[in-house]
DNA sequence: CTCCTTATACTCTGGATGAGTACATCTGGA
DNA sequence: TCCAGATGTACTCATCCAGAGTATAAGGAG
């Protein structure tokens, strides 16, 4: 790094966005090329920060303001694309995760929204344990063979052998599947039934976004960036469930929302889709809440 | 992003590392140029991934294996450096956080280790609330003026007005200070007493690393990457305290470590620096532990 | 009017956490 | 020799919160 060990290189960099919205209780991601690619492109050089440039661009595309935008990861591995001629520059992509408010599913506009469970069908545990998990487990089983380390990893990541399912491990699950040859790669075609493939490493980038968002909603009130101005508590719950791929315990969910004082009643009632009309709520943002909600997990000595 | 809205640009990219070790209960970071800069340099283009290239480089520099290495953030804002001539390429730096085992403080070798609280003296709350906080609070107070939003932010970030101190907010604190003109910038000199300055935005990058590490040790057993092979529980506690800048409650700290079954006795005892000799422990890594230790905070409905 | 669905308010229980106390075992100096 | 000081280690106790379950209210459809 002192200029001796590392050789200088000029890198080609671009931005790549995982844009998420939740419509009809389904988490969706913005795609191009018939769902094959995430939106991406080279730098916008006018803006001061990448973030603000990206924000502008998204707003022009979706006609909704971006509620939340965060940097995900910078992808720069050598084997991201199909092998190119020697001497080609390493391709760098700076990935961003963005949240936009609920959208009416557009007709045939260029940017299309696809349900993210099309790409990761094994991640949706809302109704039941997905059936795909059995065939995945089969394949991973033979991949692991007698290697106990591999078996342990599989059991842990996919909730086998009595271990619990952990929704946050979406990225690590995908990476394991990739390693085991169950996902498309420059040298491998996609396998039927194991989720819709994408170009290059876009599916990995999407998995990164999903995992990040699933982890995030536990500490930060970012879900509200996906909600309309007013909503019922069940609607909010369904949105969280959509993202996490899990079912939640209704009374406890309400209690939590209540305790955290994140929302307030608008005074109006929902027109009611089935049963008793529900109160409508709105988000009550605070400077404090915007940042930290996680309880301290260190045994801190107060005083 | 479709090539229309965004203009192509060729970016100059390099790596920048926040390398942390804890020696003598003091968290230290590797620096160059007499503590003025973090180690950084252009890409190593031989390796498959950035990570592995960086890992090799660090090991050659510190002669210790890197226990843990994670991507921090990609810094690409326009005003990172002193204003350069128009048309200059935007500078991209991919920041990494790395942990290396305890080091004997080297003599006058090129890479020097500096205690990170030299740069952020207000972050060390182990002995007492640092005195600098008062002068910082003064300055921020006049910066906030009558703006209640600003006041709220200051109170929240710096634990004023009865609000608790939150050690995880190190980055946000620095950013607020920067915004308020209390930290060096291309157009501003450093202020005496408010921490040792660094080149460019290196101090911000260091703050990013500190914040990330402080958050991380709560969920992941990464502290052990900073420990020698065998250690006493108090030594472990002191290390966590050094990183978090807080004092912990001894009995509860031990209980936690115990319950999580992260360590096992070596059978040996410490030679004892003061009182009764302590049992020595070693880290007991497991595939499972390596990843998730956080309790689920969503009200998940089991079954 | 009855059933079904959704909304909303409780209760109960166990475990984790914050906090404090008691006692053991070493070193070093009066 | 014995005490003071420091550290190590094992408890107890109270509180809070999260998981789980139950009960009741209020709408619509037939």
């Amino acid at each position: 790094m002192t200029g001796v060990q590392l050789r200088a290189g000029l890198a080609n960099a671009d931005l790549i966005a995982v844009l998420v919205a939740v419509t009809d209780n389904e988490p969706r991601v913005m795609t191009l090329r018939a769902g094959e690619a995430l939106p991406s492109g080279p730098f916008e050089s006018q803006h001061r920060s990448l973030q603000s440039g990206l924000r502008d661009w998204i707003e022009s595309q979706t006609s909704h303001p971006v509620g939340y935008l965060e940097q995900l990861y910078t992808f720069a591995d050598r084997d991201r694309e199909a092998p190119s001629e020697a001497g080609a520059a390493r391709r760098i992509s700076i990935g961003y995760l963005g949240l936009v408010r609920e959208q009416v599913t557009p007709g045939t506009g260029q940017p299309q929204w696809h349900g993210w469970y099309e790409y990761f069908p094994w991640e949706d545990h809302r109704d039941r344990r997905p059936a795909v998990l059995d065939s995945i487990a089969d394949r991973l089983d033979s991949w692991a063979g007698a290697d106990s380390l591999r078996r342990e990893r599989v059991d842990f990541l996919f909730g086998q052998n009595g271990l619990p399912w952990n929704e946050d491990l979406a990225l690590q699950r995908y990476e394991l599947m990739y390693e085991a040859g169950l996902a498309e790669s420059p040298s491998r075609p996609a396998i039927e039934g194991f989720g819709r493939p994408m170009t290059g490493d876009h599916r990995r980038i999407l998995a990164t976004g999903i995992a990040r968002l699933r982890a995030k909603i536990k500490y930060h009130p970012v879900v509200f960036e996906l909600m309309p101005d007013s909503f019922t508590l069940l609607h909010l719950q369904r949105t969280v469930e959509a993202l996490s791929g899990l079912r939640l315990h209704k009374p406890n969910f309400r209690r939590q929302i209540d305790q955290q004082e994140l929302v307030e009643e608008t005074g109006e009632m929902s027109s009611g889709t089935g049963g008793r009309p529900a109160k409508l709520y709105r988000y009550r943002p605070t400077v404090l809440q915007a940042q930290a909600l996680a309880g301290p997990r260190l045994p801190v000595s107060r005083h």
Side-chain angles (χ1 to χ4, degrees), chain A residues 116-135:
Chain A
W116 78 25
Y117 294 120
E118 291 177 28
Y119 302 95
F120 304 98
W122 58 88
E123 292 289 345
D124 186 1
H125 288 233
R126 287 177 293 176
D127 293 338
R128 70 198 73 77
R129 186 170 172 286
V132 220
L133 269 176
D134 289 328
S135 27

Side-chain angles (χ1 to χ4, degrees), chain A residues 181-193:
Chain A
L182 304 192
E184 74 277 5
S185 83
S187 59
R188 264 190 326 253
I191 298 179
E192 187 66 35

